[in-house]
Amino acid sequence: AAPVAEPLLKRALDVFRCPLIQGYGLTESAGGIAYLNEGDHQKALEGRPELLRSTGRAVVLAEIRIVDRDGKDVPPGTVGELAVRGPNVMKGYWRNPKATAETIVDGWLRSGDAASMDEDGYIYLQDRIKDMIVSGGTNIYPNEVESALLEHPDLMDVAVIGVPDRKWGEAVLAVCVARPGRQPAPDDLVAFCRDRLGGYKIPRRYQFVEALPRNASG
């Protein structure tokens, strides 16, 4: 339902000690369009830890590109919008040609997901483009910040959002659920993030709640 936070994935590998497969897909595609298979997980454990942040590579017959706003390919490692085409991708929305035309451009389905792709074809999801925070003219993807904060031993759950800010346009707010009896100070969280995030991505505002609202699928 959402990108897997790296700390959670590492715990799953440690606890279950069995092969894992991650899939990425869309409602507009039949089944997944990319998979991180058990061999990829093993590669990650044997010296390519960055693969744990990946959602894998395109499945057979699916073509995936990372494009800019004009639909042009971006260089490897650059964040853009994930576009896909193939026999498992829908032809269009039922009786909604306007939505179809906005979503399928030149035969490619524009997913609305921000992602990058490395030179080996591994895809790294960032977040939904509409969830991107623009602070001081820079783009910040909440999922990356949430994954960093979830490595803190005192935090159990985190949601990062953008809030209005007079100076920066938007500021980064982290809504946190602390483990029982272990609420860290905001300054400690800022210091914790310095080794994991660029300075402009680090939340300066923190709000603690008992639980985050979730739907039936979590």
Side-chain angles (χ1 to χ4, degrees), residues 36 40 43 48-58 64-66 74-79 115-126:
L36 189 73
D40 296 323
K43 285 181 188 177
R48 293 198 61 185
E50 74 279 1
L51 292 183
L52 293 183
R53 299 192 300 273
S54 172
T55 193
R57 293 184 281 191
I64 294 178
R65 301 164 57 214
I66 309 298
V74 300
T78 303
V79 176
S116 63
M117 184 187 299
D118 67 17
E119 294 180 349
D120 295 324
Y122 285 99
I123 298 157
Y124 298 83
L125 290 177
Q126 301 295 324

Side-chain angles (χ1 to χ4, degrees), residues 1 9 12 16 31 41 47 58 64 67 85 96 102 106 126 131 133 136 140 165 173 184 188 196 209 216:
L9 182 54
F16 293 110
H41 283 87
I64 294 178
V67 299
R85 72 179 178 184
N96 195 338
E102 291 172 350
D106 297 328
Q126 301 295 324
D131 291 338
I133 301 167
I140 300 169
D165 185 90
L173 169 66
D188 293 337
R196 295 164 173 80
V209 296

Side-chain angles (χ1 to χ4, degrees), residues 3 22 24-25 32 36-37 51 59 63-64 66 69-71 93 95 116 123 133 152 158-159 163 171:
Q22 294 183 66
Y24 164 70
L36 189 73
N37 63 31
L51 292 183
V59 300
E63 300 176 73
I64 294 178
I66 309 298
R69 291 181 179 179
D70 298 323
Y93 294 108
R95 295 182 177 177
S116 63
I123 298 157
I133 301 167
H152 196 287
V158 178
V163 293

Side-chain angles (χ1 to χ4, degrees), residues 14 113 132:
D14 184 56
D113 287 328
M132 181 179 71

Side-chain angles (χ1 to χ4, degrees), residues 99-177:
T100 299
E102 291 172 350
T103 304
I104 300 180
V105 182
D106 297 328
W108 291 85
L109 187 145
R110 303 288 287 263
S111 68
D113 287 328
S116 63
M117 184 187 299
D118 67 17
E119 294 180 349
D120 295 324
Y122 285 99
I123 298 157
Y124 298 83
L125 290 177
Q126 301 295 324
D127 223 313
R128 293 292 293 171
I129 289 175
K130 66 181 181 180
D131 291 338
M132 181 179 71
I133 301 167
V134 181
S135 182
T138 58
N139 298 339
I140 300 169
Y141 296 96
N143 182 63
E144 180 185 6
V145 182
E146 291 165 359
S147 292
L149 282 168
L150 283 170
E151 293 184 35
H152 196 287
D154 292 344
L155 296 181
M156 190 163 55
D157 208 355
V158 178
V160 169
I161 61 173
V163 293
D165 185 90
R166 287 187 178 181
K167 181 177 181 180
W168 303 109
E170 282 188 295
V172 184
L173 169 66
V175 183
C176 305
V177 179

